[in-house]
Amino acid sequence: KNEVEQSPQNLTAQEGEFITINCSYSVGISALHWLQQHPGGGIVSLFMLSSGKKKHGRLIATINIQEKHSSLHITASHPRDSAVYICAVDSGGGADGLTFGKGTHLIIQP
Amino acid sequence: DAGITQSPRHKVTETGTPVTLRCHQTENHRYMYWYRQDPGHGLRLIHYSYGVKDTDKGEVSDGYSVSRSKTEDFLLTLESATSSQTSVYFCAISDLAGQETQYFGPGTRLLVL
């Protein structure tokens, strides 16, 4: 069973700061997902990646397959970025769902 | 947004009663998943389906059953609800296993008294 660890668990920062959230996993994967869960509870997929780096707006996700590690970066953070960010991995490329980290609770203060 | 809905959105029930949660999609995606989310845990897979009438167990399947008689509907049943099944339940869908984004429903908050 893949173990997914996220750090930090909680993060409070000021508006405009550069944010980094880390994710490590124990077993090789076929893909890694970053998800965002807003205070209202809805879950939205931000990125799916299996190598390298992806960028969408102010969000950047990177993955190092050899190190079994991924990072999610937020540039020029804004209070609307406040949410729980969840890392999830697909270990086998099969149909049996994802294994999730416990999430990082991010608060951006104005 | 992917067309995925869950019903009911909130439910309060008593221990020992049966409960059925419904996930409905309009995307014609092959794969459907039920997860539960609890404080201190990440989302955990209960059951999944890889086609009509094709289902399998996930990590925390005890006390739950599922059915998928149509592509668009995936039902989760708690045969006899227990307080430990108080949770938020999320349905998710994807078109390809493993290499495809999963889209999540809005969640169902279930309280078992």
Side-chain angles (χ1 to χ4, degrees), chain B residues 22-42:
Chain B
R22 180 186 185 227
C23 176
H24 178 78
Q25 60 145 330
T26 58
E27 305 297 319
N28 201 38
H29 282 2
R30 178 180 174 188
Y31 299 93
M32 299 186 75
Y33 308 87
W34 277 109
Y35 296 100
R36 60 179 289 174
Q37 185 177 42
D38 304 291
H41 295 272

Side-chain angles (χ1 to χ4, degrees), chain A residues 1-9 21-29 31-35 68-70 85-91 97-104, chain B residues 40-43 59:
Chain A
K1 181 181 183 292
N2 217 331
E3 302 292 333
V4 181
E5 297 289 337
Q6 287 186 237
S7 63
Q9 288 186 318
I21 299 170
N22 297 297
C23 175
S24 61
Y25 51 92
S26 58
V27 179
I29 61 172
L32 182 142
H33 300 248
W34 281 103
L35 309 165
K68 296 186 178 62
H69 181 269
S70 175
Y85 292 85
I86 301 169
C87 172
V89 300
D90 189 308
S91 300
L98 303 175
T99 303
F100 295 80
K102 295 180 182 179
T104 294
Chain B
H41 295 272
L43 286 145
E59 177 188 356

